Amino acid sequence: DVDTSPDAKLMNNLKMLMMLNDPRIAVVILEQDDKGNILGHDQVAESVINARLIDLGFSHVVDAGVASSLQDARLLNRIYQGSSALGSIGRSLGADYLVLGISTAQSQGISLPNGKGGYEPTLLKNGKASMTVKILKFDTGEIIGTFTNSAKAVDNSLESAKQKAIGNAAKDAAAQIEDKFRHFSANANQALQLEVRTMDYQAVQQLADDLRALGVVQNVYIREHQNGKAILSVDTIVKPEVLVKSLQGKTSLGIFVAGISNNTIKMSVSR
């Protein structure tokens, strides 16, 4: 027997990816002690959230551990607090969204009543963790979601109880991040993707500026440029072929269109 009915969960995931144009997502969770000091990256939480995003089908999840722009915990904390801009980091990574959070965790021994009016310590330890997360759009800096959650765990050592609590909080955070992206994708304009062949980055910048000048374009973001190929995302309300005609009538660039589909335009440009 073959079930030919569509997988509803899979179709929902594919629709979300299509509406968001399979964005590049960077996940950074900063670990904070009980005095408010940033200790560095919370690798347990980052790993749990990255795994959930990959399971959903996102194919461009940036590893914060190898991205030098995301290593500076103090800078990231300033971004979280709203005192530093996102722009330069977003351009250097080619990322579209930053999931930025702060986690705190602690653990302590568990004592039980001894029946004599006092308490006796046990071998078990109780861990508690909390996490506050913001989801930021790199090109505009807007917050598309924010939330706070907490979790507990029990284990036989203080460190393992704390790490388990962090993992549980991260699992809940990952589910909430999924919900935020689904909600945002349902209300977002579908972005066109431009695949541009050129070794001239200034031509790419001019192309982006010319697109922004068109009345039918809301925003343009250069996602990457390497090996003679640039990827641009264009938020627009018109069909790809209409956008191309509008662009050809306004730009001084030489444009050769190699192909057009429902949400992708392939072209070469020259100055």
Side-chain angles (χ1 to χ4, degrees):
D1 292 334
V2 178
D3 184 2
T4 59
S5 61
D7 185 325
K9 183 177 181 180
L10 174 61
M11 296 304 292
N12 285 338
N13 290 349
L14 291 175
K15 181 179 179 181
M16 175 178 63
L17 292 172
M18 181 186 71
M19 294 303 294
L20 294 175
N21 205 19
D22 193 7
R24 286 158 174 76
I25 303 173
V27 176
V28 177
I29 306 298
L30 301 175
E31 183 181 0
Q32 180 178 264
D33 64 18
D34 53 6
K35 296 180 180 178
N37 299 313
I38 298 298
L39 305 177
H41 288 249
D42 188 331
Q43 296 182 355
V44 173
E46 289 178 357
S47 297
V48 170
I49 295 172
N50 283 339
R52 180 64 171 266
L53 292 173
I54 292 170
D55 286 344
L56 288 171
F58 290 104
S59 57
H60 303 297
V61 179
V62 178
D63 184 355
V66 298
S68 59
S69 297
L70 294 178
Q71 291 286 357
D72 190 339
R74 290 174 297 178
L75 171 61
L76 289 162
N77 187 42
R78 291 197 299 270
I79 290 173
Y80 183 86
Q81 302 299 335
S83 57
S84 291
L86 280 174
S88 60
I89 294 179
R91 286 190 293 272
S92 66
L93 287 174
D96 302 303
Y97 297 94
L98 173 63
V99 177
L100 181 57
I102 293 179
S103 70
T104 57
Q106 58 184 358
S107 57
Q108 60 184 14
I110 297 176
S111 297
L112 297 175
N114 59 12
K116 302 177 182 179
Y119 291 85
E120 290 290 337
T122 70
L123 297 178
L124 296 176
K125 315 298 179 184
N126 182 43
K128 297 180 181 179
S130 63
M131 197 171 296
T132 302
V133 177
K134 293 179 181 178
I135 306 172
L136 304 164
K137 199 168 184 289
F138 263 122
D139 55 346
T140 63
E142 65 184 301
I143 298 174
I144 69 167
T146 183
F147 59 86
T148 299
N149 69 330
S150 60
K152 297 180 180 180
V154 175
D155 210 310
N156 55 12
S157 77
L158 292 173
E159 184 60 24
S160 58
K162 184 171 73 171
Q163 293 301 318
K164 278 190 174 182
I166 291 172
N168 291 339
K171 288 178 182 178
D172 180 63
Q176 294 195 55
I177 290 167
E178 176 186 345
D179 289 342
K180 299 296 184 184
F181 273 120
R182 289 193 187 281
H183 177 75
F184 184 70
S185 68
N187 295 282
N189 291 327
Q190 183 174 351
L192 289 176
Q193 178 168 290
L194 267 64
E195 298 181 7
V196 183
R197 293 289 180 179
T198 182
M199 298 296 294
D200 186 351
Y201 185 66
Q202 290 185 344
V204 176
Q205 291 178 314
Q206 182 180 336
L207 175 63
D209 290 339
D210 291 344
L211 285 166
R212 293 187 186 100
L214 299 177
V216 295
V217 171
Q218 288 75 49
N219 197 20
V220 179
Y221 182 53
I222 302 175
R223 296 175 63 172
E224 66 180 58
H225 181 248
Q226 57 184 348
N227 300 323
K229 180 181 177 180
I231 303 294
L232 286 75
S233 291
V234 182
D235 291 331
T236 180
I237 58 175
V238 300
K239 294 182 178 180
E241 56 270 21
V242 176
L243 180 68
V244 169
K245 289 182 179 179
S246 298
L247 177 63
Q248 289 173 329
K250 297 290 184 180
T251 185
S252 62
L253 292 169
I255 295 178
F256 173 75
V257 179
I260 299 178
S261 64
N262 288 336
N263 60 359
T264 302
I265 302 172
K266 297 182 179 181
M267 63 171 63
S268 298
V269 298
S270 60
R271 289 189 293 162

